[in-house]
Amino acid sequence: MIYAIQNPAYELFFCPKCKRPVQLIKGVKRPYFRHIGSKTITAPESSLHLAGKHWLAQFFASFFLVDLEYVWDAEQRLDLYARNQRWQFAIEYQCSPISKKELQRRNQLYVQKGLKPLWIFGPQHYQQAHKLRHLQNIVSYSSSWGFYVLFKLPQDDFLRLNHHYQSSPYSNKLYWQQAKIENWQQLSHLKPKSPSYPVHTIDWQQWYQFQQLHPQQNFIALQNWCYQHQCSLLFFIKKTPPITMFPIYRYWPCYLTILKLMDTNVVADLPLISESVIQACVTADQAKFDNLF
């Protein structure tokens, strides 16, 4: 048995419980071992991540008992463990890239252990959050904030809550609101009204012709399906209401009617959101089409 506090000089370590490889981390309080995920970054902890964790500890300290780098068990070590009589939070400050698979694995572990996961993302993710595909990797959901992401940037003395994300029905464009969060009480009581994002009616014939000249892979696949089944893709997309929809799809929402007919999976991989929430959102978006005609 090797202990992290001994600061061993070896390069390869394995968990005595599950036999998976682990990485030696020189933490704030003491060295420790961490399981290596599919895309674990093996570089030492960055000063950005370290400073962010300390800031978050202060942010939650007024309302919670907070531990940094809390060892829950052999499977996972938390950036912060915050608890009071009502809540038990597993708080992760994620600055580096992380795979969907690893995000989902860790998130499910917390839920299984009775913890409420709270993911807070750093500047690298903030810079990419206007892109639909990246947003789908890191977005969470709550009944008060809709689809949301929390960010902590190094220059800020507050959290940024991007909430009520929606997407354009015919492009990758995203819409959202942002709130500046200065303390836990403000965050826990924030219940903004669900915003309405205006989407201009477009000329579907012109849009369709543009897609034919500059086709994306999804457009080509749907065109081929329609050709094989002797139907018109334009006929279906013209039924799209001029309303923003949830940012959860593999395809643009304007394709939902044809995709429903094809009985294909329309939802992207969303590692931080439950299946029940996703299905409820798909049903709500499909009703927008049904209510229009």
Side-chain angles (χ1 to χ4, degrees):
M1 180 76 73
I2 298 174
Y3 294 92
I5 199 170
Q6 295 174 313
N7 196 21
Y10 308 102
E11 294 183 357
L12 292 175
F13 308 96
F14 296 89
C15 174
K17 180 178 179 181
C18 67
K19 310 304 179 185
R20 289 169 52 200
V22 294
Q23 171 189 355
L24 177 63
I25 303 294
K26 295 184 178 180
V28 178
K29 296 181 180 179
R30 59 186 181 274
Y32 62 94
F33 290 111
R34 179 172 64 195
H35 285 84
I36 297 176
S38 58
K39 291 190 178 180
T40 298
I41 305 301
T42 57
E45 181 177 34
S46 70
S47 58
L48 172 69
H49 186 246
L50 189 60
K53 288 196 300 186
H54 280 284
W55 187 92
L56 289 168
Q58 292 298 315
F59 179 90
F60 288 97
S62 297
F63 293 87
F64 295 87
L65 179 63
V66 180
D67 281 319
L68 279 166
E69 298 176 354
Y70 186 83
V71 180
W72 185 264
D73 57 25
E75 292 183 294
Q76 190 61 56
R77 185 185 186 95
L78 315 180
D79 278 347
L80 294 97
Y81 175 41
R83 68 271 192 200
N84 58 22
Q85 292 182 338
R86 183 180 179 186
W87 300 102
Q88 285 193 93
F89 282 112
I91 302 171
E92 291 287 354
Y93 181 45
Q94 189 65 40
C95 293
S96 59
I98 184 171
S99 70
K100 289 182 180 181
K101 184 177 180 180
E102 180 63 12
L103 263 177
Q104 187 174 49
R105 184 190 72 82
R106 288 160 61 178
N107 199 67
Q108 288 178 347
L109 270 178
Y110 300 148
V111 173
Q112 290 167 5
K113 297 176 192 302
L115 301 172
K116 184 174 179 60
L118 186 61
W119 291 88
I120 301 170
F121 292 89
Q124 186 172 351
H125 293 281
Y126 184 77
Q127 293 166 4
Q128 299 292 319
H130 66 286
K131 299 177 180 178
L132 177 61
R133 296 304 172 224
H134 189 82
L135 174 72
Q136 290 173 341
N137 293 349
I138 64 175
V139 72
S140 296
Y141 180 87
S142 86
S143 57
S144 298
W145 307 333
F147 289 90
Y148 76 92
V149 187
L150 274 168
F151 296 100
K152 173 63 181 77
L153 306 186
Q155 70 272 23
D156 293 344
D157 196 29
F158 53 86
L159 296 178
R160 301 186 188 212
L161 172 63
N162 286 8
H163 59 89
H164 287 105
Y165 274 101
Q166 293 266 303
S167 63
S168 164
Y170 47 77
S171 72
N172 284 332
K173 184 177 181 180
L174 292 171
Y175 303 79
W176 67 90
Q177 301 286 311
Q178 186 176 95
K180 184 171 75 171
I181 307 298
E182 297 181 339
N183 55 66
W184 164 253
Q185 193 169 17
Q186 179 190 1
L187 182 65
S188 61
H189 289 85
L190 183 68
K191 294 184 178 180
K193 292 183 178 180
S194 181
S196 175
Y197 304 111
V199 178
H200 298 296
T201 303
I202 67 169
D203 183 332
W204 283 109
Q205 184 73 45
Q206 186 178 17
W207 181 91
Y208 181 76
Q209 290 173 352
F210 179 84
Q211 300 306 317
Q212 287 181 312
L213 293 173
H214 309 279
Q216 295 186 336
Q217 186 174 357
N218 286 343
F219 181 85
I220 294 172
L222 294 175
Q223 275 281 63
N224 289 339
W225 188 91
C226 288
Y227 178 78
Q228 293 169 7
H229 291 80
Q230 298 181 345
C231 59
S232 167
L233 179 58
L234 180 59
F235 171 81
F236 289 100
I237 63 175
K238 285 174 68 174
K239 294 184 177 183
T240 305
I243 305 170
T244 56
M245 301 189 191
F246 295 119
I248 61 176
Y249 302 107
R250 298 177 185 272
Y251 304 80
W252 291 338
C254 63
Y255 297 133
L256 282 177
T257 50
I258 186 69
L259 292 167
K260 185 177 181 180
L261 187 64
M262 295 168 62
D263 194 28
T264 188
N265 179 26
V266 300
V267 180
D269 294 328
L270 305 167
L272 302 182
I273 302 177
S274 69
E275 286 294 327
S276 59
V277 167
I278 293 170
Q279 291 308 313
C281 290
V282 172
T283 301
D285 270 348
Q286 289 177 338
K288 295 175 183 177
F289 291 85
D290 299 336
N291 294 337
L292 193 66
F293 296 95

